[in-house]
Amino acid sequence: MKRWRTKLALLGGAAALGLAIPAIGQEAPESLLPPGFGDPETLPPPVEQPPAPPPGTPVVPPEMPVVQSPTLPMSEEELEALEEELDLPEPIEIPDASRRPIDLVGPLGPREWGLGVGAFGDANGRYLSTLMRRLDAPLPSRWTQILLRRALLSRVPAPSFVHPVDWVAERAWLLLRMGEADGARMLTQAVDVDRFTSKMFAISVQTALATADPAGLCPLIEPGRETSDESVWLLGDAMCAALAGDANRASELIDRARSRGRVGGIDLSLAEKVIGAGTNTRRAVTIEWEDVDEINSWRFGLASATGIEVPDRLMNLAGPHVRAWKARAPMLPIDQRVEAAQWAASLGVFSNASLVEMHSLIADTTDPSEIMESVGGRLRQTYVARTPEARMEAMRGLWEDAETPVQRHARHILTASAAARMVPSEALAGDTEDLIASMLTAGYDERAARWGNIVGAMDDGEADGAWALLAVASERPAVDLGFGRIEAFTDRDDSEDGLRSKVLLAALAGLDRMGANDQSRLANALGVQLDAENAWTQALERAVRARQPGTVALLAGVGMQTGGWRGVPPEHLYRIVSALRRVGLDYYARMIAAEALARL
């Protein structure tokens, strides 16, 4: 099970990355470009960061074992030390400036569904930053990522003991690793460039590339040169000159970069491609991928900005968050982004509306003779077919054609609005589980609850899947939650090691929908230790007691350090669901619980 390590660079080791991120805690940045772009010997040693792997390290990260029990990649002593404020230096004093504030940044205020200025309370900034930095994103849960995005984009004050601009940069960096390139840009562009720290320069460069926007480098070049003598600034200057129409200066700068010998091959060719697209420099550039054996943010960003699709063999080496970047790259033809959009939707980056719009646009350009067999054509039938049976048949076809778990999840997301329009009917009883699962991917919990009577009238064995979803997703009980019904579900459960039963127990217990005696009895029967404690559970409880929904959301992500739902221990799910419920995020607790059951 592959994981994409956050302590290395964005798409692999520092030696394999297009724009390496500075070591966390460093005052000066590391090299911003691939090997050969700068002299690493002139840089200070990293602080609190493992050494970069040697050149030639494969871009594919090593295997990460499945989590077997609730763990956190830091000891209890480390957690306590991070929260200890007595021995820390005085926090940096925020200047009284008349420009945009740096101590209160985020696009989501209370009216935009932000979590509020108290989302992180008085939590120590170093502690929060460490949690963000160690979080191995993207997460296996779509709904956890949606909640975490909301927390990171909330308009919140900078916490103590961290530079306010670095606090914004840390949030943007995590969003990038989650596949949320647009969210990262919202944060980096909310800070005036003349207030950037070295960390913010590095993250802003990464953001410009992740959004396939070379023009985003332009405001960074002059002040960025004061922080480092990297070729990224020279190449960026050349591209920006071309984008401004100054062909002569662009040519002069790119020739200077070539003569310095610090960059070459496809990395230089892609910069020349951007220059050629920006103005008539009479440079005919052909991009050849045959000898390229790794993808990095520089190559992804510049290729996508010029409408060049990165070969699948290279994209397959990158983490799923890069596919989410690709899904929203505006210069790539829409038909080249469809597969990536499925990953973006499954991660939580794309919504039901985004997927529907994408397939509708493709359908508008599809030959009429082929439209009925296309995804867009069948999606249209889920809305406009004359009978419920015909609409259901179109929906069912979309689900059954899915070839992978990610694609099936994306198809459920695609049909969510259409599923929510279906009127509960006994004639559709056989499709209730898929209909409810589809609705819940987009959060239509009230529409899903309307199927409670249909599910209740079905034979228990046939209704188990739909019943379990409604048991945890409905705001108010829509199905029988008696212990006898729960026990009947567990008796029929044929999942490996009874995992679905364990997840159902964890969800119901976390939502406080089981009596204490029944909960203990079933936990013992299934071998689930709901009361197990460690540093992570203790940190989560402290955040709950302090009423910090943002910290709880962040720790929920920390508790999902695995590549898929099967690697999330039921004990983790119980703690996450319970914590979210107790800090007022009951809706997300229910959606995460339902997602776990639907995707196992």
Side-chain angles (χ1 to χ4, degrees):
M1 189 177 296
K2 295 182 175 64
R3 297 299 296 140
W4 313 99
R5 293 181 180 273
T6 62
K7 288 189 281 188
L8 300 183
L10 193 54
L11 307 181
L17 182 64
L19 289 160
I21 293 300
I24 301 303
Q26 275 183 224
E27 297 301 325
E30 288 187 4
S31 174
L32 294 177
L33 288 174
F37 275 59
D39 182 6
E41 294 181 359
T42 64
L43 301 171
V47 177
E48 298 180 358
Q49 181 79 356
T57 300
V59 71
V60 180
E63 296 283 338
M64 181 177 183
V66 174
V67 177
Q68 298 299 329
S69 60
T71 58
L72 182 71
M74 62 176 72
S75 67
E76 184 174 353
E77 290 74 19
E78 287 178 302
L79 278 169
E80 292 175 352
L82 285 168
E83 292 186 314
E84 178 60 55
E85 298 181 4
L86 296 177
D87 296 330
L88 292 173
E90 290 298 319
I92 297 174
E93 184 176 349
I94 300 171
D96 183 15
S98 59
R99 295 161 299 171
R100 291 183 297 177
I102 59 174
D103 59 335
L104 189 65
V105 176
L108 301 184
R111 293 184 178 180
E112 297 81 27
W113 301 97
L115 294 185
V117 294
F120 297 95
D122 60 355
N124 186 294
R126 290 187 178 181
Y127 167 69
L128 295 173
S129 297
T130 300
L131 291 179
M132 290 183 189
R133 206 172 305 138
R134 295 185 179 184
L135 200 156
D136 207 357
L139 302 173
S141 168
R142 166 181 166 82
W143 275 105
T144 304
Q145 286 223 161
I146 290 173
L147 172 59
L148 187 53
R149 175 182 64 208
R150 180 181 169 192
L152 295 173
L153 291 177
S154 292
R155 190 174 304 133
V156 294
S160 59
F161 305 109
V162 65
H163 193 289
V165 176
D166 281 351
W167 165 246
V168 179
E170 289 285 6
R171 291 152 63 192
W173 173 223
L174 178 51
L175 284 166
L176 281 179
R177 303 197 315 272
M178 292 165 56
E180 299 281 356
D182 291 319
R185 181 164 58 181
M186 290 180 191
L187 289 180
T188 58
Q189 292 186 347
V191 178
D192 294 326
V193 175
D194 62 351
R195 293 182 170 184
F196 274 23
T197 60
S198 297
K199 184 180 296 183
M200 181 59 95
F201 274 113
I203 303 303
S204 294
V205 169
Q206 290 281 15
T207 301
L209 295 173
T211 54
D213 179 25
L217 298 173
C218 299
L220 309 177
I221 293 170
E222 289 305 319
R225 282 175 169 152
E226 298 178 5
T227 68
S228 66
D229 180 27
E230 297 294 342
S231 293
V232 64
W233 307 126
L234 181 57
L235 289 173
D237 200 2
M239 292 187 291
C240 291
L243 294 173
D246 192 343
N248 291 334
R249 186 164 183 271
S251 295
E252 176 187 346
L253 290 171
I254 200 71
D255 288 340
R256 188 188 307 172
R258 179 184 290 104
S259 66
R260 290 174 65 175
R262 301 168 83 179
V263 59
I266 195 170
D267 298 307
L268 182 61
S269 297
L270 285 168
E272 291 186 284
K273 191 73 174 179
V274 174
I275 291 171
T279 186
N280 182 19
T281 59
R282 297 182 181 180
R283 292 175 180 264
V285 181
T286 301
I287 303 300
E288 300 288 349
W289 296 101
E290 284 76 10
D291 296 330
V292 179
D293 57 6
E294 60 193 25
I295 183 63
N296 53 50
S297 51
W298 178 264
R299 294 166 187 174
F300 168 84
L302 299 193
S304 300
T306 52
I308 300 172
E309 185 177 23
V310 176
D312 287 342
R313 67 177 180 84
L314 295 176
M315 286 296 294
N316 290 338
L317 298 177
H321 58 294
V322 183
R323 297 179 187 274
W325 298 352
K326 178 181 178 180
R328 49 82 52 218
M331 295 303 293
L332 291 176
I334 194 168
D335 60 324
Q336 293 182 11
R337 294 187 272 135
V338 172
E339 182 181 358
Q342 297 179 82
W343 282 90
S346 187
L347 291 177
V349 178
F350 266 30
S351 65
N352 159 258
S354 298
L355 276 187
V356 170
E357 181 181 11
M358 174 173 279
H359 283 286
S360 296
L361 291 172
I362 294 174
D364 288 342
T365 60
T366 301
D367 189 291
S369 64
E370 301 175 354
I371 188 68
M372 292 303 294
E373 299 301 318
S374 69
V375 173
R378 286 184 289 172
L379 177 63
R380 187 174 295 172
Q381 289 301 303
T382 67
Y383 289 93
V384 304
R386 292 186 177 182
T387 66
E389 291 74 15
R391 294 196 294 274
M392 190 69 247
E393 182 180 0
M395 218 177 305
R396 195 182 300 121
L398 288 170
W399 299 332
E400 292 175 352
D401 283 353
E403 298 178 353
T404 65
V406 168
Q407 189 178 70
R408 183 171 178 81
H409 187 217
R411 291 289 176 85
H412 273 147
I413 297 166
L414 176 65
T415 58
S417 294
R421 293 161 61 95
M422 299 296 290
V423 177
S425 166
E426 292 182 4
L428 303 178
D431 295 297
T432 52
E433 182 175 359
D434 276 310
L435 284 168
I436 292 169
S438 180
M439 284 183 259
L440 294 178
T441 63
Y444 292 118
D445 59 328
E446 293 183 0
R447 296 291 185 93
R450 295 189 307 173
W451 289 80
N453 290 336
I454 302 299
V455 173
M458 295 169 61
D459 176 77
D460 282 358
E462 296 177 356
D464 276 349
W467 170 83
L469 293 177
L470 291 183
V472 301
S474 303
E475 183 177 8
R476 291 172 295 277
V479 292
D480 177 16
L481 292 181
F483 186 75
R485 182 65 181 90
I486 297 171
E487 195 171 38
F489 176 92
T490 63
D491 288 343
R492 285 188 292 267
D493 181 19
D494 60 358
S495 63
E496 184 178 355
D497 195 30
L499 183 57
R500 295 198 79 205
S501 293
K502 294 177 180 179
V503 166
L504 177 65
L505 164 66
L508 290 174
L511 292 169
D512 197 24
R513 294 186 174 182
M514 291 185 70
N517 291 335
D518 289 342
Q519 179 178 306
S520 176
R521 175 182 167 189
L522 188 58
N524 289 334
L526 296 175
V528 178
Q529 296 182 329
L530 296 179
D531 57 352
E533 291 192 5
N534 56 36
W536 174 71
T537 64
Q538 293 166 8
L540 200 55
E541 285 302 310
R542 286 195 294 270
V544 170
R545 290 195 300 269
R547 302 296 297 175
Q548 297 173 1
T551 309
V552 169
L554 184 56
L555 285 165
V558 171
M560 292 187 175
Q561 304 295 282
T562 181
W565 268 111
R566 291 188 179 277
V568 178
E571 294 87 349
H572 273 203
L573 180 65
Y574 163 68
R575 294 286 186 169
I576 290 167
V577 169
S578 175
L580 292 174
R581 175 181 59 81
R582 287 181 289 146
V583 294
L585 295 172
D586 174 81
Y587 176 81
Y588 288 96
R590 291 185 284 114
M591 294 303 103
I592 290 169
E595 180 189 358
L597 286 165
R599 298 183 69 181
L600 285 174

